[in-house]
Amino acid sequence: AGSSNPSYGLLALKDMGWLTLYPELEALMGCAQQKRWHPEGDVWAHTCLVVDEAARLARLRCLNDKELLVLVFATLCHDFGKPAVTVMSKVGEVVAPGHANAGLHPTTSFLKRIVAPRSVLIMVLPLVKEHGRHFSEQVTTSSVSSLAQRLAPATIKLCEVLTESDAYGCAALPK
């Protein structure tokens, strides 16, 4: 189930001029990222790569239809907070501090507008909120247990695939 390349749908929306109907998506276009981490370009380009990676990894991991739906929406929405918080640091790097938390409101707005099922919304939100946590937490039994509780009703499995999709959604990384 699902497309091998969800980005084709995003690109079709852009080509038809329909992105204006989805301001959360439109805001990703032109939102800069640090080239060292994101040589693929702006947040829009990154998101297109990430949703395709999610579809690829979902097939490899044999995710069921519900997991695939949640994963694709989580990858689509994971950087919705970046346009609101992206700034140039004092050392001249593009940073987006707190973008995961900043993404909760636009994710909720977007998913409600497209009438996503509530069961999807309540799984996508914790995935968006926690998607960068692996960079800042020491991995211990306690931290994994705490993450599992914060993700519920989503799962560590979905969080791991989201994290991997996000990493592979950078043009410079080999698959």
Side-chain angles (χ1 to χ4, degrees):
S3 169
S4 296
N5 296 94
S7 66
Y8 291 176
L10 297 174
L11 296 172
L13 286 173
K14 178 183 174 241
D15 291 345
M16 291 184 284
W18 292 356
L19 274 184
T20 57
L21 300 173
Y22 307 100
E24 302 85 0
L25 292 172
E26 189 176 41
L28 304 178
M29 297 186 71
C31 183
Q33 300 187 103
Q34 185 61 35
K35 288 190 187 302
R36 177 173 46 140
W37 304 116
H38 291 286
E40 69 278 5
D42 65 11
V43 180
W44 171 260
H46 173 64
T47 299
C48 287
L49 291 170
V50 173
V51 295
D52 287 349
E53 281 303 315
R56 183 183 74 83
L57 291 171
R59 285 189 308 279
L60 288 174
R61 305 287 167 74
C62 301
L63 298 186
N64 65 41
D65 288 347
K66 172 90 182 250
E67 291 171 322
L68 173 62
L69 183 65
V70 169
L71 177 65
V72 170
F73 277 125
T75 56
L76 177 64
C77 300
H78 83 284
D79 281 343
F80 275 8
K82 280 189 175 180
V85 300
T86 296
V87 294
M88 187 69 71
S89 75
K90 291 178 182 176
V91 296
E93 291 190 343
V94 178
V95 295
H99 77 274
N101 279 334
L104 296 176
H105 176 72
T107 296
T108 301
S109 176
F110 174 77
L111 291 175
K112 285 184 175 182
R113 188 174 328 100
I114 65 168
V115 195
R118 178 165 162 57
S119 62
V120 170
L121 174 69
I122 64 172
M123 290 179 75
V124 168
L125 288 175
L127 289 167
V128 167
K129 183 176 182 177
E130 300 296 333
H131 83 269
R133 188 70 63 176
H134 63 284
F135 292 120
S136 62
E137 267 190 18
Q138 183 84 358
V139 178
T140 64
T141 303
S142 176
S143 69
V144 172
S145 176
S146 177
L147 176 61
Q149 290 173 11
R150 292 190 312 269
L151 287 169
T155 63
I156 294 276
K157 175 183 175 182
L158 284 174
C159 187
E160 185 276 324
V161 180
L162 168 59
T163 299
E164 193 172 351
S165 300
D166 192 14
Y168 284 141
C170 298
L173 290 177
K175 294 173 182 66

